Amino acid sequence: MGKHVLLIEDEPNIIEAITYILRHDGWKVSTHSDGTSAVSVVNDLSPDLVILDVMLPGRSGFEILQDLRGQAATTTLPVLMLTAKGQAKDRQAAHTLGASHYMTKPFSNQEMLDVVRGLMP
């Protein structure tokens, strides 16, 4: 595939797992773990897809998603929200802010691959 994914996640085990799954499937994976600078990293790297944790140090994934959707360059960028919070209100917030997909932890390797592949044109 050769597409570039930016994983914004602060949990080392999740970073390692997703990086392994996607690289094994042929994806280029960059990682970042701080919410405060996440938007600027997205702008600098111009990934094809962002996997964004909801709970990050500095800023929430919801705030980051709102900023991304407010910029012309990232308004249609596919964003997979990833969280341990599976409540309906969180899913609704992600949908309202423009998330492309919402996935809860834990997830299976196949589920991650299917969703990431499905978000790419």
Side-chain angles (χ1 to χ4, degrees):
M1 289 188 167
K3 296 288 187 176
H4 181 205
V5 174
L6 173 59
L7 171 60
I8 304 173
E9 167 68 60
D10 64 326
E11 182 63 42
N13 292 338
I14 300 292
I15 294 168
E16 184 178 347
I18 293 174
T19 298
Y20 176 80
I21 294 165
L22 295 180
R23 284 188 179 154
H24 187 70
D25 196 50
W27 297 78
K28 175 184 176 187
V29 181
S30 299
T31 62
H32 187 69
S33 59
D34 178 54
T36 306
S37 56
V39 172
S40 63
V41 171
V42 171
N43 291 332
D44 290 345
L45 296 179
S46 298
D48 298 301
L49 169 75
V50 171
I51 300 174
L52 179 61
D53 188 19
V54 170
M55 296 184 292
L56 291 163
R59 296 185 76 209
S60 78
F62 293 131
E63 293 170 309
I64 295 163
L65 178 61
Q66 186 170 22
D67 285 354
L68 292 174
R69 292 303 182 235
Q71 299 179 148
T74 55
T75 191
T76 61
L77 175 68
V79 177
L80 165 57
M81 296 295 291
L82 185 62
T83 185
K85 300 169 74 172
Q87 292 88 353
K89 67 181 178 82
D90 295 316
R91 287 182 181 276
Q92 183 58 45
H95 176 73
T96 299
L97 292 170
S100 307
H101 193 83
Y102 188 91
M103 183 183 294
T104 55
K105 303 172 192 173
F107 51 84
S108 72
N109 292 4
Q110 192 60 54
E111 180 184 14
M112 177 59 68
L113 283 175
D114 289 347
V115 170
V116 168
R117 288 173 180 164
L119 289 174
M120 296 309 301

